[in-house]
Amino acid sequence: MVQHETSSPSPATGAAEPLAQPGNAWIARASSPVQTATSGPLAGLSFAAKDNIDAAGFATTAACPAFAYQPAQNASVVQRLLDAGAALHGKTNLDQFACGLNGTRSPYGPVPNAIDPAYVSGGSSSGSAYVVATGQVDFALGTDTAGSGRVPAGLNNIVGIKPSKGLISTHGVVPAAQSVDCVSIFARTVDVAARVLAVAQGYDAQDPYARRLPMATTPLPAAFRFGVPAPLEFHGDALAADAFAQAIERLRAQGGTPVEIDYAPLAGAAALLYESALVAERYAAVRPFVDAHADQIVEPVRGILLAGKGYSAADLVDAQTQLRAFGQQAAALWDGIDVLLVPTAPTHYTVAQMLADPVVLNRNLGAYTNFVNLLDYAAISVPSSLRPDGLPFGITLIGPCGSDWQLADLGQRYHHATGLALGATGAPLPPPAPIAALRPAATVDVVVVGAHLSGLPLNGQLTERGAVLLRAGETVPDYRLFALPGTVPPKPGLLRVAPGQGARIAVEVWRMPATAYGSFVALIPPPLGIGTLQLADGSALQGFVCEPLALEGAQDITHFGGWRAFLQARATAT
């Protein structure tokens, strides 16, 4: 049933021909796709699994032939996908023992970049990203400890979901650092990746780190704040810096407001992964094999794993305490942002460059990924642009644990705004699809007539609550408008009158989250209040009204047709 291959395998049965040479992306291919169900939410989709994830009938090698074993059963996540109708086409190459971010650390050979084979694919889930980017399968499983589910996505122009820890079972996965490992999902669209996540997720008592997580099920606010780290390091890559600047503007166009954040606590946490006793978990993951067969492990993987032997239990406790301290500092960042934006990778390297300097350049690729699992965040990497030199540039959206569906929703909107082709296939993006796990957030439409109009002094009371402008409009011709004396800032009063006694008054309709409506209404001073306004388009919405007694002696400004026109006329007169 299984054909083991180490180079240039043929495309999977039924999959599109790749546009680039397959290189060493596959370790084993099935002579025919493995299926256990022909119906289900993933029916018709093909997939591959990184070769540190068990699939019955395939040896699990973790890219180390001497380590290979035949699993008796599928990993929990593989079984879930098969039961949902997906077809498994084989196992993919990786950085040995999932230790690396570049895709060159395998005895089966480096995996090339799908867009330009002179460059690295990113790792450790290099083969999984490649076979998705080249159209050989619809999606693939990777793993992510320090960025392995994101860096290959960013470097190959595809989507990579790194779910919240514990959301997808890691039972049947060879661990890299088990307390921070995740199974990740690669696809050419967010829609497919999100559909896979919906099937793959689920509590599994066989996984010691599985959790029943509360998941956010409403989208991020239409007006949201996104953090941008400062300073940012692109290692001299001006094209990457320009691409990230463009990404900021594109996310701003999606309704985001950039907020500069201090990257120091995130960088501090990231450094602990390899530069502290936390690396002992890497050694512990495969300790019996390392102790007996260290000579069968490629460098620099061997050096990294063996470094874990030199730390004491007290060293590990110290490192964990340092990590908690960085986490406390980083937690304060979320008071001012809804999501964090980072480059998926700060630059690209050729295979030759990586082989010449494998430790430093690998560390550079993880500059904006290493902290995410350590601090218990969720993330999604999506394509952002093709640089002038033709290389892909990806961005990663990061959110708190449980924000997976919110990130998928924003990531899909962002991806579709790019207009990029799918991976390396040249095929156009299909229409976006709703994220099924999300339900629309409850909102309230509010009609404003005076100082809350866009650009006027009190408009910030709306925008700071996430309100967005829906439209400008007019009331029915049954209202009169008055300038209230002595108000600061100046405000009008709107009064409903008998039919034929009023005029149409210009208004704006703003939509705000229902959760913010109460605090907004609490700010309204008498004699103003909230009532139901009849608009010329036939709608009846909540909006500003005024107590009639307060209008005695007030200037009637109805003939101006609105508060803004009155202010402009007054400014011209003075």
Side-chain angles (χ1 to χ4, degrees):
M1 182 184 85
V2 175
Q3 301 172 343
H4 289 274
E5 306 181 22
T6 59
S7 64
S8 301
S10 59
T13 303
E17 289 284 345
L19 299 185
Q21 292 299 313
N24 298 317
W26 292 94
I27 287 180
R29 296 288 296 275
S31 55
S32 60
V34 178
Q35 279 188 286
T36 63
T38 57
S39 62
L42 301 183
L45 296 182
S46 59
F47 77 104
K50 184 178 180 178
D51 196 29
N52 62 340
I53 302 173
D54 288 347
F58 297 83
T60 300
T61 75
C64 182
F67 176 80
Y69 63 91
Q70 290 288 340
Q73 60 185 16
N74 293 315
S76 295
V77 62
V78 171
Q79 190 62 54
R80 280 179 172 268
L81 301 176
L82 291 172
D83 291 345
L88 177 63
H89 283 238
K91 304 292 288 295
T92 56
N93 200 358
L94 64 148
D95 283 329
Q96 193 174 74
F97 293 115
C99 193
L101 285 173
N102 61 80
T104 70
R105 298 175 176 179
S106 171
Y108 299 108
V111 178
N113 186 278
I115 306 298
D116 186 337
Y119 285 80
V120 299
S121 60
S124 61
S125 309
S126 51
S128 291
Y130 185 94
V131 298
V132 169
T134 53
Q136 298 179 61
V137 291
D138 297 308
F139 69 92
L141 298 180
T143 60
D144 189 306
T145 304
S148 299
R150 292 160 280 156
V151 170
L155 297 186
N156 286 282
N157 195 43
I158 60 173
V159 172
I161 286 182
K162 188 223 74 71
S164 297
K165 291 189 301 180
L167 188 60
I168 298 178
S169 173
T170 58
H171 175 68
V173 178
V174 178
Q178 195 170 8
S179 69
V180 289
D181 287 346
C182 296
V183 173
S184 61
I185 299 166
F186 296 103
R188 290 182 292 279
T189 66
V190 174
D191 172 42
V192 170
R195 288 164 56 196
V196 173
L197 178 60
V199 168
Q201 68 169 343
Y203 179 76
D204 181 4
Q206 299 176 98
D207 174 5
Y209 289 96
R211 298 185 288 178
R212 292 184 173 91
L213 292 172
M215 302 291 287
T217 56
T218 55
L220 289 170
F224 60 93
R225 301 157 300 172
F226 63 94
V228 179
L232 277 166
E233 174 60 65
F234 293 96
H235 304 286
D237 190 337
L239 294 181
D242 289 345
F244 189 68
Q246 295 168 19
I248 292 173
E249 293 310 307
R250 182 175 290 119
L251 202 57
R252 193 196 297 268
Q254 296 286 316
T257 299
V259 178
E260 186 175 289
I261 66 162
D262 180 9
Y263 191 61
L266 305 180
L272 291 174
L273 188 64
Y274 286 108
E275 299 171 19
S276 77
L278 294 185
V279 78
E281 192 171 7
R282 293 269 185 177
Y283 165 65
V286 285
R287 177 171 57 177
F289 181 81
V290 174
D291 288 346
H293 304 286
D295 60 333
Q296 299 296 311
I297 303 172
V298 302
E299 286 289 7
V301 176
R302 179 170 62 243
I304 293 169
L305 297 179
L306 290 175
K309 296 180 67 173
Y311 292 99
S312 69
D315 293 332
L316 181 58
V317 171
D318 287 344
Q320 291 171 335
T321 301
Q322 292 176 47
L323 178 60
R324 290 295 298 269
F326 284 126
Q328 297 283 32
Q329 296 173 39
L333 300 175
W334 297 99
D335 293 337
I337 61 173
D338 299 295
V339 67
L340 176 61
L341 170 70
V342 296
T344 298
T347 188
H348 285 253
Y349 294 115
T350 65
V351 172
Q353 287 173 319
M354 185 60 64
L355 293 174
D357 193 2
V359 175
V360 172
L361 300 194
N362 184 86
R363 182 186 302 120
N364 292 348
L365 289 180
Y368 302 111
T369 61
N370 285 354
F371 67 89
V372 176
N373 281 350
L374 291 174
L375 297 180
D376 201 14
Y377 300 152
I380 184 171
S381 174
V382 293
S384 184
S385 61
L386 289 180
R387 303 161 17 145
D389 58 4
L391 293 173
F393 181 81
I395 57 105
T396 294
L397 300 168
I398 300 168
C401 176
S403 64
D404 305 64
W405 301 120
Q406 294 176 323
L407 295 176
D409 179 60
L410 180 58
Q412 179 172 239
R413 288 192 280 125
Y414 183 96
H415 187 198
H416 280 75
T418 68
L420 291 169
L422 296 173
T425 68
L429 273 168
I435 304 301
L438 288 180
R439 55 178 182 266
T443 59
V444 177
D445 291 348
V446 182
V447 180
V448 299
V449 69
H452 289 89
L453 294 167
S454 53
L456 296 188
L458 296 183
N459 184 250
Q461 293 181 354
L462 290 166
T463 57
E464 68 189 11
R465 286 166 173 77
V468 293
L469 176 63
L470 292 185
R471 62 186 183 275
E474 293 180 320
T475 67
V476 295
D478 300 332
Y479 290 88
R480 300 198 71 81
L481 191 66
F482 297 82
L484 296 175
T487 54
V488 180
K491 302 178 186 71
L494 186 69
L495 182 67
R496 181 75 181 262
V497 294
Q501 301 299 308
R504 296 178 185 268
I505 303 298
V507 297
E508 289 178 350
V509 181
W510 287 74
R511 176 166 292 169
M512 71 168 57
T515 54
Y517 185 61
S519 67
F520 175 70
V521 171
L523 296 174
I524 301 172
L528 301 177
I530 292 289
T532 300
L533 301 186
Q534 301 292 328
L535 301 190
D537 62 7
S539 59
L541 301 175
Q542 298 293 295
F544 280 83
V545 294
C546 187
E547 297 174 6
L549 287 177
L551 300 177
E552 293 182 6
Q555 181 184 358
D556 189 331
I557 58 172
T558 304
H559 59 285
F560 287 99
W563 182 246
R564 198 186 302 277
F566 166 71
L567 294 179
Q568 292 171 346
R570 189 173 65 174
T572 300
T574 58

